[in-house]
Amino acid sequence: MEKTAVSPQKKYLIWMLLVLLTAVCLRLFALTAAPPGLTHDEADHGITALSIVKGARHIYFTIGYGREPLFDYATALLMAVTRPTFLGGRLTAVFFSLIMISGMSAWVRRAFDRQTAVFTAASLAVSFWPVMTARQSLRSITLPALFVLAVYLFWRGLTQSENTISHPKAQAQSKKTTPYFLASGFILGLTFYTYIPARILWLIFPVTVVYAVGQNRDLCRRIGLQTLAMLTTALLTALPLLLYLLRHPEAESRIGQLSQPLRAAASGDYTLLGHNIIEGLSIIAMTGDSYWRYNISGQPLLPLPFAVLFLVGLFLASWWISQGLFVNAKRQKQREKKLRNLRLNKKQMPAASFLAVGWLILGVSPVLVTGAQLSTTQAIGMQPVLYLFPALALRQGIRWLSQQNKQRERWAYAALLLLLAGTAVLTSHRYFQVWANHPDVRVEYETTLVTAMQVLNKSGQGTTTAPTTLHAGISTITPHPAHSPAVAEMTLHNPNVTLSWFNGQNSLLLPSSETSTIVYPGFTPLNPALEPYFETAVLDTSLPMRDTDLDKPLNFYQVDRNQMRQQWGSQFLTDKPVFFAENAQFLGYDVHTPTARPGDTFSIATWWEAKRPFADGVLFTQILGNDNTAIAQADYLDVPSDLWQIGDQFIQLHQITLPADMPPGTYPIIIGLYSCPQNCPAEIPPQPIPTSTGANFYTLPMQLTVTNE
């Protein structure tokens, strides 16, 4: 009985199925536990997606430093049918990662061959960088996923146009390629809604067309108009976002930060840009991103075996590009014969190689400006094509061995499988054991805060009586809305818990409930200067966390509001009630250093009650000179006014260093509130919050005495 041969197409599909199954396993395993918590960036994406589920419809989201919206809309679709948790964002990232692998394989199969496509997809499936980016709820993963689809559709149109040049009905045949160009343009336009590097990656398409026309001038008329139609479609698709950003340049604060090296170079200082270029070029094979949030610090994108193969593949691609430009007709036929023997797409190789190298250059270019730090996200545009070059080297090597000896070819395939399997094992170890458990990573992913939310999620469980509301005050180093509160919103699922936020390093919060819980992590313990105001609190639970954790322990205190208010009433000097508009009431003050010497630190605690939240609040304390101008001051508020719960009371500690040449005498002290939008840039001055008398500040009844004694 004769054996039925398996067709190359079926082999390709079987191998791709195995590759995708491997990719799914590495991306879904323990997805809620690794990463080990949640970054504020991931949480912000989750909050934005939830707002979309609830009806928000924005073309650009200004939360954080500003973000393109496509990832959040995709996450919202998933959240609409699942629980509104951070897992929705991570599953969305996994989905886009699988699209990227599949799309890249589809293009490489057409541009090169099936084996190269499988090798590329397998490398993307098991390598550390693609696995890392696939498991994070960040918008950056959407860029390579959509871009490879645009490349695939563009390539279908380009190659079919080339193949129909000599067709007797060439004009009719060309119409069949137009939908590919238009679809590619539409998806290319969508990439502008994904991540900033899309604004430069699109250049590879017109440049590749110029190269292809240089190879075959008959293509010029055929694909010139189609390419123009493609780019026009992309522009029209991206136009709403581009117009919004032109009208609201302040929405992209991140652009100003990232462009600093270019501005310095424009002024004649190339030091920073030169340093970043050297760093950026080293991320592939030498020294990578040092930021633990997205990488094992310093680990390059490619391990040594893949780095060597990458260089070989890059050399091969560069050689094929040159062959496409500088060969005569006789040598062209010889080259095509060699490529045919290697079972590669002989006509497409130079243009495909050109597109790949150009894609690589444009993809890495943002990192050449910004440097290695955070390069794992900023270079993500080149992620799919980076793994093509090792695949080209492997494909070339295996085919060469097959011509020498079939036995060697089998050994080569066995070695390749061992390389990929070893890479999968190494990636699993480095990601799940090394990276996910590193102390810096657990800090970046706010593991201590997530642990606190897990404790609060269990509050009231197991009781037979109706659950009661728990009001908890959370001390954190980042208490503002887009940071720790965002992480809590995505991890706290107990509807009976209300949260208030403060930074315990310089403030103390008393929630409005009769009894409440105050949570202090290791990073923001109670300031010793505030300890006298916290004497009535009772330590209820102390979680030690891991021995290797940096943010530890995690302490839970029980507070009785009446007892603590009585204590504060005996410690603070009070005057007549002072209201700052309808936002806050000043209740009293306690001067720790009523007498000081020049150069000393003046310390004062002020007592407040939140009446109505308002955006971007800042509390100031100023020491006035003889001309009523401030000679020393402190401006900060560690209980964010955006998140005030009505009735909460808090103490703000201001510690002010006095000038060393401050003359002896007595000095008035004033306090007040103002709103400081966007950190008060020059064009947006602070907005004072007036008192009930119309003044912009309140003068304390006491004065500071400065003496040389």
Side-chain angles (χ1 to χ4, degrees):
M1 184 175 179
E2 295 184 359
K3 293 183 178 180
T4 303
V6 180
S7 67
Q9 177 66 9
K10 186 173 290 187
K11 287 182 180 179
Y12 166 75
L13 293 176
I14 292 172
W15 279 110
M16 279 304 303
L17 179 61
L18 292 174
V19 166
L20 289 174
L21 285 174
T22 303
V24 168
C25 291
L26 285 173
R27 283 152 178 78
L28 291 183
F29 176 74
L31 190 57
T32 58
L38 200 65
T39 65
H40 68 267
D41 288 326
E42 288 185 295
D44 290 345
H45 277 296
I47 289 174
T48 303
L50 280 177
S51 71
I52 294 171
V53 172
K54 296 175 182 178
R57 298 293 183 269
H58 300 298
I59 200 167
Y60 190 84
F61 293 97
T62 56
I63 188 171
Y65 296 102
R67 288 204 312 267
E68 296 83 359
L70 192 143
F71 179 82
D72 294 326
Y73 278 100
T75 303
L77 287 175
L78 186 59
M79 283 187 173
V81 295
T82 62
R83 290 183 62 190
T85 68
F86 69 90
L87 181 60
R90 289 186 179 173
L91 288 174
T92 303
V94 170
F95 173 72
F96 277 109
S97 176
L98 296 176
I99 288 179
M100 177 190 69
I101 295 173
S102 302
M104 188 64 184
S105 174
W107 175 66
V108 174
R109 182 178 69 86
R110 286 190 169 273
F112 296 94
D113 66 355
R114 293 185 180 91
Q115 286 183 320
T116 307
V118 172
F119 297 164
T120 304
S123 300
L124 284 166
V126 301
S127 296
F128 184 90
W129 184 29
V131 170
M132 167 70 76
T133 54
R135 296 176 63 93
Q136 294 168 327
S137 180
L138 299 176
R139 74 189 190 279
S140 52
I141 188 62
T142 57
L143 172 57
L146 293 187
F147 193 76
V148 295
L149 297 182
V151 169
Y152 170 78
L153 291 167
F154 165 78
W155 195 255
R156 288 290 300 267
L158 179 66
T159 53
Q160 288 195 21
S161 295
E162 186 176 15
N163 292 336
T164 58
I165 286 178
S166 59
H167 196 281
K169 297 182 179 180
Q171 185 173 1
Q173 290 295 320
S174 67
K175 294 181 179 179
K176 295 182 179 180
T177 65
T178 301
Y180 289 115
F181 283 97
L182 295 179
S184 176
F186 174 70
I187 295 177
L188 181 61
L190 288 181
T191 64
F192 282 73
Y193 295 84
T194 62
Y195 197 41
I196 294 173
R199 301 174 198 181
I200 190 172
L201 280 178
W202 68 272
L203 288 169
I204 191 56
F205 295 105
V207 173
T208 299
V209 168
V210 171
Y211 177 88
V213 169
Q215 280 191 290
N216 188 343
R217 298 188 184 278
D218 293 334
L219 272 175
C220 184
R221 181 181 299 179
R222 177 66 54 81
I223 65 173
L225 291 177
Q226 290 176 322
T227 303
L228 180 61
M230 168 189 165
L231 296 178
T232 302
T233 302
L235 175 61
L236 292 175
T237 304
L239 192 59
L241 175 63
L242 298 177
L243 289 176
Y244 174 87
L245 294 176
L246 283 173
R247 293 168 182 165
H248 303 86
E250 74 284 353
E252 288 195 299
S253 58
R254 178 69 76 184
I255 292 292
Q257 298 171 5
L258 298 179
S259 61
Q260 181 182 353
L262 295 178
R263 294 198 304 271
S267 302
D269 182 3
Y270 295 91
T271 305
L272 181 57
L273 182 60
H275 175 267
N276 288 350
I277 289 174
I278 294 173
E279 274 196 353
L281 291 174
S282 70
I283 66 170
I284 293 177
M286 297 175 65
T287 303
D289 188 352
S290 61
Y291 201 19
W292 275 98
R293 181 184 294 182
Y294 302 131
N295 190 35
I296 293 176
S297 181
Q299 176 179 271
L301 299 180
L302 297 177
L304 182 59
F306 278 86
V308 173
L309 291 169
F310 166 80
L311 293 175
V312 174
L314 184 60
F315 172 80
L316 290 172
S318 301
W319 174 255
W320 291 328
I321 292 170
S322 66
Q323 290 292 290
L325 288 176
F326 306 113
V327 294
N328 55 35
K330 182 178 179 180
R331 293 186 63 187
Q332 176 77 6
K333 291 182 179 179
Q334 293 175 348
R335 180 182 63 82
E336 290 183 0
K337 182 178 179 181
K338 290 181 180 180
L339 293 175
R340 189 183 302 112
N341 291 335
L342 292 173
R343 301 178 187 175
L344 297 171
N345 293 330
K346 55 184 181 297
K347 292 183 179 180
Q348 302 175 17
M349 284 288 291
S353 299
F354 182 88
L355 190 154
V357 172
W359 183 355
L360 179 75
I361 293 171
L362 291 174
V364 78
S365 59
V367 182
L368 303 184
V369 176
T370 61
Q373 191 170 37
L374 297 177
S375 58
T376 48
T377 56
Q378 292 164 4
I380 199 166
M382 74 167 182
Q383 186 179 91
V385 77
L386 178 68
Y387 294 89
L388 167 65
F389 296 99
L392 289 174
L394 288 168
R395 174 70 171 88
Q396 186 83 333
I398 289 175
R399 295 309 302 167
W400 180 80
L401 287 173
S402 69
Q403 293 176 351
Q404 307 300 316
N405 187 305
K406 286 293 182 181
Q407 184 67 25
R408 290 182 181 179
E409 181 184 13
R410 286 191 287 270
W411 280 109
Y413 278 119
L416 173 60
L417 287 175
L418 285 176
L419 174 64
L420 293 172
T423 301
V425 172
L426 184 62
T427 293
S428 299
H429 171 72
R430 287 181 173 176
Y431 184 85
F432 294 105
Q433 297 298 321
V434 178
W435 179 82
N437 291 297
H438 194 276
D440 286 346
V441 173
R442 289 175 62 82
V443 169
E444 291 288 344
Y445 284 79
E446 302 211 38
T447 310
T448 301
L449 176 62
V450 172
T451 301
M453 295 304 105
Q454 292 171 349
V455 172
L456 295 177
N457 279 331
K458 298 176 182 178
S459 176
Q461 292 185 2
T463 61
T464 57
T465 59
T468 57
T469 299
L470 171 64
H471 196 161
I474 311 295
S475 175
T476 172
I477 201 169
T478 52
H480 295 280
H483 291 84
S484 294
V487 173
E489 185 171 345
M490 296 308 301
T491 53
L492 179 65
H493 313 305
N494 189 337
N496 300 309
V497 176
T498 301
L499 300 181
S500 294
W501 296 91
F502 70 109
N503 185 337
Q505 293 174 313
N506 286 297
S507 66
L508 177 58
L509 180 70
L510 177 60
S512 58
S513 300
E514 292 299 321
T515 58
S516 58
T517 297
I518 303 296
V519 181
Y520 278 104
F523 275 173
T524 53
L526 180 65
N527 190 308
L530 298 174
E531 288 179 359
Y533 312 121
F534 203 59
E535 292 175 350
T536 61
V538 177
L539 179 62
D540 180 65
T541 304
S542 182
L543 300 180
M545 304 299 291
R546 293 184 180 180
D547 291 341
T548 56
D549 278 342
L550 303 177
D551 189 6
K552 63 178 182 180
L554 180 61
N555 293 325
F556 294 78
Y557 291 87
Q558 297 302 314
V559 172
D560 183 285
R561 179 179 173 87
N562 291 330
Q563 288 183 0
M564 189 161 285
R565 285 185 62 184
Q566 290 176 5
Q567 177 190 349
W568 291 3
S570 65
Q571 293 169 310
F572 282 79
L573 297 175
T574 58
D575 196 17
K576 60 183 179 181
V578 180
F579 290 88
F580 285 81
E582 298 178 353
N583 301 108
Q585 181 182 0
F586 173 65
L587 299 175
Y589 63 96
D590 184 17
V591 178
H592 301 162
T593 52
T595 301
R597 292 180 297 181
D600 283 355
T601 297
F602 168 70
S603 179
I604 181 174
T606 52
W607 178 16
W608 301 80
E609 181 170 327
K611 295 296 185 181
R612 188 178 67 181
F614 66 102
D616 307 309
V618 179
L619 191 156
F620 69 84
T621 300
Q622 295 181 356
I623 301 171
L624 302 182
N626 293 330
D627 56 354
N628 288 328
T629 59
I631 58 176
Q633 68 184 75
D635 295 57
Y636 49 85
L637 177 58
D638 290 301
V639 186
S641 61
D642 313 66
L643 302 176
W644 281 356
Q645 299 287 344
I646 297 174
D648 282 359
Q649 295 186 2
F650 63 90
I651 297 172
Q652 177 65 57
L653 177 67
H654 275 168
Q655 295 178 313
I656 307 171
T657 300
L658 303 178
D661 58 351
M662 192 172 183
T666 57
Y667 295 87
I669 302 170
I670 64 172
I671 60 170
L673 281 169
Y674 62 88
S675 177
C676 187
Q678 302 175 29
N679 293 321
C680 291
E683 63 274 14
I684 306 179
Q687 305 297 315
I689 307 296
T691 67
S692 52
T693 63
N696 291 335
F697 57 86
Y698 172 70
T699 304
L700 296 183
M702 61 84 63
Q703 292 187 329
L704 168 66
T705 299
V706 176
T707 176
N708 287 327
E709 297 179 0

